[in-house]
């Protein structure tokens, strides 16, 4: 890559607001002085926006108030001027019906916040599931130098001498609770022990998956993604982000030089090797399309077939959590294990190539980060299915389900809503066997609404009591990245818009053939045509507001669920704002 001419104080983007000797710039400088800043503090210096997704309801980011101070310290050390801007905090725990309904809102806010303010560069503070893609999508479109600061995983959970994994063990022990094997006191103890500090889920769920993807894309400091949130190294990393973004502004190192087709492919390969969340599929495609990269479901499936899973981190791994992963060498060590599969000449936020960033990386525990000769699973984390039930695709996580379900045939038990499903599975008289295929539909991007994480359908209570803990489940919903089991997700097109899933009936035979990447309902074409003619579209979920806008413009799961008008090929991106 040929270096661009270095920026000068006169060519800084913020100079358009502060430098001219006119009435408008007088007003800008006056308002800065109103805030208590002398002109020499901000004039001629890179103005760095710290986009902070802290909120009192976002437990993943509860340390971000302090980390913003660390970033500011770094910016000031490097000679920049830092301004903190609050950003939408789309937390996974409390935002209903799903944080996915608001990912694109965060992306829009990020893009417009950057474009409309005198910012020369930005530090994006995120971590909880949708904050990573939301912030990155918006910043990619805005185009100023950016660096992503990941929240980091929380400490491993502990209860009664056991290490607990957030999310994963919640599902596990909830099944035991439903089976009647856990007391009230034990249930309360588990609740208090499973999440013990600030930070994102410490399993390889969606949050750690997406921060690893940002790391592999080259938009985070090398290895930053796995530093535990409460480790002092996280504070030092935050300060380094502040120092580095100032230099990136002077170097004019913008996202288009970093987030290339090769960088996105690296990110997808690394995701497969980590045991990533199924949600990575939707977000990878959405981020790639914002960067003008044509990344498809078939591309991801192709990489999944040839990339071994080498991070022994739950839920796809068996024994370890993110804290263990970090101290075993972290993402740099994992990437060094697969360096022959990566494009090492891509540029990163360090101003160096990926290959240079991986120099000296070591694995300190080869049971946590496995060598290629001893993978956790011989293929990658995800597989993409096609068939008459999902002509536009569906996703499954082979390593996280029992091998006996990789080829399975059984009768469908179909539910049209989550309440209907929940009532049925808690009914111990439900006519269901372990060979049945549970199906939840109308839970996709439009039907959910918002594509909620309802796809890990609970095992019927009658089967739980018999000792069964897995069965084949199919949905047009997503599932939490901390989840596991034989769950086929993201069925596209979704049932709500008339996808084939809408035509399925209880008792129809479904066949999954994972090696062949097929998912089919064994119903003849004439019968499907008859059902299609009888199908009627459901009433709209929204009649006004954000939900109405979302329903008019969101794309399907196989396209990344971005808004059609925000994708790069929709039209020319708005230029710099007029200042008069």
């Amino acid at each position: 890559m040929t270096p661009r001419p270095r920026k000068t104080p006169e060519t800084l983007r913020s100079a358009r607001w502060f430098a001219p000797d006119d009435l408008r710039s007088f007003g800008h400088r006056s308002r800065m002085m109103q805030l208590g800043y002398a002109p020499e503090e901000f004039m001629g210096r890179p103005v760095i926006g710290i986009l902070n997704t802290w909120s009192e309801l976002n437990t993943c980011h509860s340390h971000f108030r302090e980390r913003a101070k660390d970033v500011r310290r770094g910016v000031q050390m490097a000679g920049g001027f830092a301004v903190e801007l609050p950003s939408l905090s789309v937390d996974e725990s409390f935002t209903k019906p799903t944080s996915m309904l608001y990912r694109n809102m965060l992306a829009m806010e990020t893009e417009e916040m950057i474009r409309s303010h005198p910012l020369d560069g930005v530090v994006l503070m995120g971590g909880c599931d949708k904050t990573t893609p939301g912030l990155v999508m918006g910043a990619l479109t805005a185009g100023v130098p950016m660096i992503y600061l990941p929240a980091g995983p929380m400490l491993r959970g502990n209860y009664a001498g056991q290490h607990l994994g957030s999310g994963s063990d919640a599902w596990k022990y909830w099944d035991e609770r439903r089976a009647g094997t856990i007391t009230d006191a034990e249930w309360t103890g588990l609740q208090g022990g499973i999440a013990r500090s600030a930070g994102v889920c410490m399993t390889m769920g969606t949050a750690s998956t997406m921060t690893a993807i940002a790391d592999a894309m080259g938009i985070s400091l090398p290895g930053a993604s796995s530093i535990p949130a409460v480790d002092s190294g996280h504070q030092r990393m935050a300060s380094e982000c502040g120092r580095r973004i100032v230099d990136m502004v002077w170097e004019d190192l913008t996202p288009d030089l970093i987030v290339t087709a090769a960088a996105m492919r690296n990110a997808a390969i690394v995701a497969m090797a980590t045991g990533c969340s199924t949600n990575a599929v939707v977000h990878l495609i959405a981020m790639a399309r914002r960067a003008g990269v044509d990344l498809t479901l078939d591309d991801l499936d192709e990489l999944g077939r040839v990339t071994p899973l080498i991070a022994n981190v739950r839920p796809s791994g068996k024994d370890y959590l993110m804290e263990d992963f970090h101290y075993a060498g972290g993402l740099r060590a994992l990437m060094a294990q697969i360096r022959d599969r990566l494009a090492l000449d891509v540029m990163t936020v360090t101003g160096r190539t990926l290959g240079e960033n991986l120099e000296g990386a070591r694995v300190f525990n080869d049971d946590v980060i496995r060598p290629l000769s001893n993978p956790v699973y011989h293929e990658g984390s995800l597989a993409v299915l096609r068939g008459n039930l999902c002509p536009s695709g569906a996703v499954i996580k082979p390593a996280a389900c029992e091998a006996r379900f990789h080829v399975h045939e059984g009768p469908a038990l179909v539910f049209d809503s989550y309440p209907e499903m929940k009532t049925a599975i808690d009914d111990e008289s439900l006519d269901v066997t372990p060979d049945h295929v549970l199906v939840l539909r109308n839970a996709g991007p439009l039907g959910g609404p918002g594509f909620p994480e309802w796809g890990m359908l609970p095992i019927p209570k009658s089967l739980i009591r018999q000792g069964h803990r897995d069965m084949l489940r199919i949905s047009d919903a997503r599932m939490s990245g901390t989840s596991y089991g034989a769950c086929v997700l993201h069925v596209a097109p979704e049932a709500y818009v008339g996808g084939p899933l809408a035509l399925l009936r209880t008792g129809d035979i479904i066949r999954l053939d994972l090696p062949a990447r097929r998912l089919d309902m064994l119903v003849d074409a004439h019968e499907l045509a008859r059902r299609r003619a009888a199908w009627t579209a459901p009433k709209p979920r929204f009649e006004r507001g954000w939900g109405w806008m979302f329903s008019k413009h969101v794309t399907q799961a196989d396209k990344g669920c971005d808004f059609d008008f925000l994708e790069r090929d929709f039209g020319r991106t708005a230029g710099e704002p007029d200042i008069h």
Side-chain angles (χ1 to χ4, degrees):
M1 185 188 78
T2 302
R4 290 173 172 169
R6 285 183 63 86
K7 288 282 188 178
T8 65
E10 294 75 25
T11 60
L12 289 173
R13 182 173 182 268
S14 58
R16 296 186 63 232
W17 276 260
F18 299 128
D21 185 16
D22 58 24
L23 182 59
R24 179 52 58 194
S25 293
F26 168 87
H28 297 153
R29 294 190 295 267
S30 172
R31 294 305 184 185
M32 292 297 287
M33 295 178 73
Q34 181 184 5
L35 290 170
Y37 298 112
E40 53 267 30
E41 293 184 73
F42 61 88
M43 292 282 289
R45 297 176 182 267
V47 177
I48 304 301
I50 304 172
L51 274 58
N52 189 353
T53 52
W54 173 88
S55 127
E56 286 191 344
L57 283 177
N58 192 333
T59 57
C60 301
H61 300 175
S62 59
H63 56 315
F64 267 5
R65 270 182 166 173
E66 295 303 313
R67 291 298 175 274
K69 296 177 183 177
D70 297 323
V71 176
R72 182 184 298 273
R73 170 164 51 94
V75 171
Q76 291 172 338
M77 286 178 64
F81 179 76
V83 291
E84 185 180 352
L85 296 95
S87 297
L88 185 68
S89 189
V90 282
D91 74 288
E92 201 61 35
S93 299
F94 295 106
T95 303
K96 304 301 178 187
T98 170
S99 62
M100 187 63 184
L101 185 61
Y102 302 103
R103 183 201 68 180
N104 296 345
M105 179 183 283
L106 174 59
M108 292 177 69
E109 179 195 51
T110 300
E111 177 181 346
E112 299 306 329
M113 188 183 298
I114 293 171
R115 179 175 291 117
S116 62
H117 288 89
L119 306 178
D120 297 298
V122 290
V123 176
L124 309 172
M125 298 181 63
C128 194
D129 298 12
K130 312 308 177 297
T131 57
T132 301
L135 289 166
V136 171
M137 289 161 66
L140 283 172
T141 309
V144 304
M146 68 164 179
I147 192 165
Y148 182 76
L149 192 165
M154 68 176 82
L155 297 177
R156 66 171 71 90
N158 273 284
Y159 175 69
Q162 302 177 66
H163 287 165
L164 301 177
S166 51
S168 300
D169 276 321
W171 303 112
K172 172 184 172 181
Y173 287 108
W174 174 238
D175 280 347
E176 299 307 318
R177 174 78 163 167
R178 294 172 65 228
T181 63
I182 288 181
T183 67
D184 289 348
E186 289 171 328
W187 188 238
T188 300
L190 286 163
Q191 290 176 58
I194 201 167
R196 301 186 301 119
S197 76
V200 303
C201 292
M202 84 301 273
T203 47
M204 187 59 75
T206 304
S208 288
T209 290
M210 294 312 302
T211 57
I213 283 172
D215 203 334
M217 285 167 63
I219 58 175
S220 290
L221 293 177
S225 57
S226 63
I227 303 173
V230 295
D231 190 299
S232 61
H234 199 271
Q235 295 171 270
R236 296 190 294 272
M237 178 270 293
S239 179
E240 187 178 350
C241 285
R243 295 193 299 275
R244 180 58 199 151
I245 189 62
V246 174
D247 288 340
M248 288 177 68
V249 169
W250 292 126
E251 295 163 10
D252 200 19
L253 183 52
T254 49
D256 57 302
L257 301 178
I258 297 171
V259 185
T260 61
M264 291 304 308
R265 188 175 187 277
N266 283 347
I269 292 170
V270 169
M272 297 295 175
T274 62
C276 65
S277 163
T278 49
N279 292 315
V281 172
V282 176
H283 302 315
L284 273 168
I285 291 173
M287 291 189 296
R289 290 163 79 97
R290 286 295 188 101
V293 175
D294 184 21
L295 183 70
T296 67
L297 282 179
D298 292 333
D299 294 330
L300 295 174
D301 184 62
E302 181 182 344
L303 293 174
R305 288 177 183 266
V306 299
T307 306
L309 194 167
I310 61 173
N312 188 13
V313 179
R314 297 174 61 194
S316 293
K318 304 301 180 187
D319 303 306
Y320 299 104
L321 298 166
M322 286 301 297
E323 193 175 345
D324 306 299
F325 179 73
H326 178 68
Y327 297 125
L331 199 73
R332 288 180 67 244
L334 180 141
M335 294 175 75
Q337 296 284 72
I338 58 172
R339 62 181 299 138
D340 291 345
R341 299 164 182 257
L342 303 174
L344 299 176
D345 59 346
V346 295
M347 181 53 59
T348 71
V349 294
T350 64
R352 301 186 297 273
T353 65
L354 175 62
E356 291 172 316
N357 290 343
L358 295 182
E359 291 175 3
R362 294 174 54 196
V363 174
F364 299 107
N365 185 333
D366 64 5
D367 192 39
V368 180
I369 301 174
R370 298 281 187 88
L372 292 175
S373 60
N374 181 33
V376 176
Y377 189 71
H378 63 284
E379 292 185 8
S381 304
L382 306 174
V384 175
L385 307 172
R386 304 276 185 179
N388 71 354
L389 201 53
C390 53
S392 296
V395 178
I396 189 171
K397 200 170 184 177
C401 70
E402 296 179 27
R404 63 192 175 96
F405 292 112
H406 289 188
V407 177
H408 181 80
E409 195 171 295
L413 183 56
V414 181
F415 303 104
D416 286 318
S417 71
Y418 197 93
E420 177 193 355
M421 178 273 298
K422 191 172 187 305
T423 299
I425 60 102
D426 283 336
D427 181 356
E428 295 194 49
S429 66
L430 180 68
D431 184 11
V432 62
T433 71
D435 291 328
H436 269 87
V437 180
L438 299 184
V439 178
L440 174 66
R441 63 189 177 198
N442 298 315
L446 289 170
F451 211 9
E453 292 184 340
W454 297 345
M456 185 182 169
L457 311 186
I459 305 299
K461 184 178 284 189
S462 59
L463 297 181
I464 284 283
R465 292 193 185 279
Q466 295 171 30
H468 298 285
R469 295 296 184 270
D470 200 4
M471 63 191 301
L472 184 58
R473 290 155 280 179
I474 297 173
S475 180
D476 46 13
R478 297 178 302 114
M479 77 174 182
S480 167
T482 65
S483 302
Y484 51 86
C487 300
V488 177
L489 308 155
H490 308 185
V491 169
E494 63 177 304
Y496 190 83
V497 299
L501 192 65
L503 309 182
L504 186 70
R505 292 184 177 176
T506 292
D508 290 343
I509 301 300
I510 292 176
R511 179 173 174 79
L512 169 65
D513 187 341
L514 181 57
R517 299 298 200 264
R518 294 288 305 182
L519 180 67
D520 295 286
M521 51 179 163
L522 305 186
V523 180
D524 68 65
H526 176 75
E527 173 61 16
L528 289 177
R530 188 184 67 80
R531 295 179 189 180
R532 167 68 63 197
W535 181 80
T536 57
K539 293 181 179 179
R541 296 285 194 191
F542 299 101
E543 295 183 0
R544 61 169 300 279
W546 174 256
W548 180 89
M549 180 177 174
F550 182 95
S551 64
K552 291 293 183 183
H553 295 286
V554 72
T555 61
Q556 287 289 291
D558 60 303
K559 304 300 184 186
C561 295
D562 200 357
F563 288 165
D564 51 12
F565 64 84
L566 294 178
E567 294 180 338
R568 175 170 286 202
D569 61 3
F570 184 85
R572 184 168 54 86
T573 298
E576 290 290 345
D578 293 332
I579 301 177
H580 299 297

